[in-house]
Amino acid sequence: MDIRVATHDELLQHSPALRSVYSEAFCAPPWNEDEERADAFVVQLSPDVRRPGFTAALAFDGADLVGFATSWATPTPFPSDRCHPQAAASLGPGRTEEWLCGAREVDELAVRPTARGTGLAAGLLRAVTEGAPAGRAWLLTSLRSPL
């Protein structure tokens, strides 16, 4: 498996394969997202690549894309969309500001089922969190996460 950090343009060139990996990872149990959510993920990539600190890593098995991860710098003030309010409520305002604002926020991490258990996800995480400010990185995940 080959993991490499991707430029914005390179990432967007792989949109169909990214959608396929996303669908395999998140449309199946335990997430059970629908195919429309996989389509929305691809549409959201274009504005996401313009976020400050955006970093993406792609994993290939030969020519086949088998996994990816995306991250960016968590802005200040701390976001109030998605699952951010729950994270802030758990940490409190001081720790949220100190620990999460300006940190590397891992937004997506997906691996095809055929590549699971190979250490690929850990390699993708390393690729998108390397050089995180003061080593601060965190994963934004759903409250529905079974982990």
Side-chain angles (χ1 to χ4, degrees), residues 11-79:
L11 179 72
L12 295 176
Q13 289 171 2
H14 290 284
S15 292
L18 290 164
R19 188 213 178 278
S20 176
V21 172
Y22 185 99
S23 178
E24 285 187 29
F26 296 114
C27 292
W31 299 104
N32 299 312
E33 292 187 2
D34 59 29
E35 293 295 329
E36 289 176 358
R37 180 64 194 105
D39 292 336
F41 161 74
V42 173
V43 169
Q44 186 60 42
L45 279 177
S46 289
D48 283 349
V49 299
R50 292 188 293 277
R51 289 176 180 260
F54 182 87
T55 304
L58 302 175
F60 294 91
D61 184 2
D64 297 326
L65 184 72
V66 294
F68 67 88
T70 60
S71 68
W72 50 69
T74 304
T76 302
F78 193 69

Side-chain angles (χ1 to χ4, degrees), residues 74-88:
T74 304
T76 302
F78 193 69
S80 60
D81 62 344
R82 301 172 64 194
C83 295
H84 290 98
Q86 292 88 347

Side-chain angles (χ1 to χ4, degrees), residues 118-140:
T118 64
L120 188 60
L124 286 164
L125 279 174
R126 273 192 301 277
V128 297
T129 59
E130 190 171 38
R136 294 179 304 130
W138 66 290
L139 173 66
L140 178 67

